[in-house]
Amino acid sequence: MSVFSVDHDAASLREAFARDGIVRLGRTVDDAMLEALRARSEAVMRGEAPELNLFFQHDSDDGTYGSLKRGEGFVGPSQRYRKVEKLERDPIFHALLTHPAHEQVVRAFIEGPVHLYRAVLFNKAGGSSSPIPWHQDGGTFWGLNEEPFVQVWTALDDAPVEAGCVEAIRGTHAQGLATPLGGVIPDDVALRANAEARVEFFPAKAGESLLIHNHVWHRSGPNRTAFPRRGFTACYLHARVSCLRKKRAPRVFPLVFS
Ligand SMILES: O=C(O)CCC(=O)C(=O)O
């Protein structure tokens, strides 16, 4: 694995992140690793890794977020899954989330042992795919005793505007959560904040990463190209962060950097 170092030293990264809540990290992953990740994504969606017991969500038939089906999981081989989670169980994705360039970024924010909250592939199949609305990755929905804030998103394919690149509103992380529950930002809140006029597009080339604050308002559009647009995101936690859920046994988060 060749190692790219990110475009910032720790101090300038912290400054940009505190100000904007989203920072371009430049190229972090080399072509060989990208090839392996893309091939693995396709294999996983064909159902070739049942032993990993991954979480799947298929894209909706009509290309809207509102008609996504929840709770169905794997519904057969398809390259139209919009989301695959628990990828820390896969050695190829595990190599990405523990990549030295990503550790360099995480270490600018978290000292000591680092745990992983989630490792997710966001796939937008070519031709048709649903957008992701404005949201924040936190709140009571995430069920933690402390709000997570560090996630590194990496483009596995070129992600231009027309393929549904990440979009965000700089600085919105500083206002905290729009709702205590977190997740999707209600339309009236987005309207009052004049979100449409403030949106910024973050197109990325394959292998480039973004550092995203969990509370920065972000979303992505449909993929209007003929090619897949895959992005992988890993959210990291201080080891002191714990799961608050009561109905089932609390989650235990895997250690990624010791
Ligand atoms: O990959 C995308 O389209 C968006 C990713 C995202 O929303 C997230 O990481 O929370």
Side-chain angles (χ1 to χ4, degrees):
M1 178 200 304
S2 65
V3 177
F4 296 84
S5 68
V6 301
D7 291 346
H8 302 262
D9 58 40
S12 68
L13 191 57
R14 282 194 284 264
E15 191 188 317
F17 191 55
R19 185 185 60 234
D20 296 334
I22 182 161
V23 184
R24 291 178 195 279
L25 298 171
R27 181 91 194 248
T28 63
V29 177
D30 67 17
D31 286 340
M33 192 171 192
L34 284 173
E35 270 303 307
L37 289 160
R38 289 191 287 244
R40 191 62 177 153
S41 303
E42 283 158 23
V44 155
M45 289 193 273
R46 283 195 301 266
E48 290 174 16
E51 71 287 359
L52 299 180
N53 200 17
L54 301 172
F55 168 95
F56 291 85
Q57 187 184 34
H58 202 268
D59 208 346
S60 59
D61 294 334
D62 62 2
T64 66
Y65 186 82
S67 52
L68 287 171
K69 295 200 185 95
R70 292 169 209 279
E72 283 196 329
F74 188 75
V75 291
S78 166
Q79 295 300 310
R80 290 193 65 244
Y81 286 96
R82 68 174 284 272
K83 192 155 97 163
V84 183
E85 294 195 36
K86 305 277 177 207
L87 283 165
E88 66 276 16
R89 296 174 181 166
D90 178 72
I92 297 174
F93 280 96
H94 191 270
L96 175 58
L97 66 94
T98 54
H99 191 289
H102 293 198
E103 182 172 15
Q104 185 195 338
V105 172
V106 174
R107 283 286 171 221
F109 301 94
I110 305 179
E111 280 177 10
V114 177
H115 290 176
L116 181 88
Y117 181 81
R118 68 174 192 177
V120 186
L121 178 73
F122 283 101
N123 173 50
K124 291 178 187 285
S128 67
S129 59
S130 58
I132 300 177
W134 288 123
H135 67 281
Q136 294 173 301
D137 294 320
T140 51
F141 185 69
W142 279 48
L144 297 172
N145 65 341
E146 224 177 90
E147 283 295 295
F149 63 98
V150 176
Q151 51 183 313
V152 179
W153 181 96
T154 301
L156 305 190
D157 306 286
D158 287 348
V161 171
E162 60 275 19
C165 67
V166 171
E167 303 172 25
I169 304 179
R170 285 182 202 257
T172 38
H173 63 301
Q175 292 143 31
L177 290 165
T179 66
L181 181 65
V184 174
I185 293 170
D187 287 348
D188 61 316
V189 177
L191 204 63
R192 276 200 303 279
N194 202 15
E196 258 351 285
R198 296 163 65 202
V199 61
E200 190 176 337
F201 292 85
F202 289 84
K205 293 273 181 210
E208 290 180 352
S209 296
L210 297 169
L211 171 63
I212 301 177
H213 192 294
N214 286 51
H215 288 180
V216 87
W217 292 21
H218 58 292
R219 70 177 183 183
S220 57
N223 180 0
R224 300 184 200 285
T225 73
F227 310 103
R229 191 242 67 171
R230 288 160 288 199
F232 172 79
T233 184
C235 176
Y236 302 89
L237 300 171
H238 281 280
R240 64 172 182 259
V241 180
S242 58
C243 174
L244 294 174
R245 81 180 174 194
K246 299 249 166 19
K247 284 190 185 148
R248 283 181 290 153
R251 283 180 62 189
V252 177
F253 301 110
L255 177 74
V256 284
F257 304 125
S258 52

